[in-house]
Amino acid sequence: MNMGDEPEQPLSKNALKKLKKAEAAAKKKAEKEAARKAKEAENPTKKKAAVVADEELDPTQYKANREAAVAAMEKEGTNPYPHKFHVDYRLPD
């Protein structure tokens, strides 16, 4: 078989609709991704860059990340391990 010599078969109406819909979705997704990247470029955040998914960390990195988070909470003045939790509301019985 020589693919270059064979004429392309016409697509059915449903196949054309499906193809157009897929192209429109891909275009919309690309525009959305470009807008998101432009927004990130304007407002870079330290937290997003610093936070790494816990599943991707080995145990020593996870522990170091947790220790850094606890130290940051203590620096802000909040207790990361409170003795009591004050309840503001009750669940109906």
Side-chain angles (χ1 to χ4, degrees), residues 3-63:
M3 294 295 236
D5 295 337
E6 293 181 21
E8 188 175 321
Q9 285 197 342
L11 295 174
S12 67
K13 187 175 181 181
N14 286 338
L16 285 173
K17 285 171 65 175
K18 186 184 255 189
L19 185 63
K20 285 183 181 182
K21 187 175 182 180
E23 288 173 353
K27 182 179 177 185
K28 189 173 185 179
K29 185 176 179 180
E31 289 173 355
K32 194 174 188 181
E33 182 69 20
R36 185 186 64 81
K37 285 186 179 184
K39 186 176 179 183
E40 279 184 3
E42 291 174 4
N43 300 325
T45 58
K46 290 182 183 178
K47 278 192 172 186
K48 252 191 177 177
V51 175
V52 178
D54 293 336
E55 295 84 28
E56 297 174 4
L57 295 177
D58 68 276
T60 56
Q61 289 175 329
Y62 179 81
K63 184 177 185 293

Side-chain angles (χ1 to χ4, degrees), residues 66-67 69-83 85:
R66 177 66 184 155
E67 288 174 346
V70 169
M73 290 175 81
E74 288 175 346
K75 189 175 180 181
E76 292 173 358
T78 59
N79 185 2
Y81 304 107
H83 177 67
F85 297 94

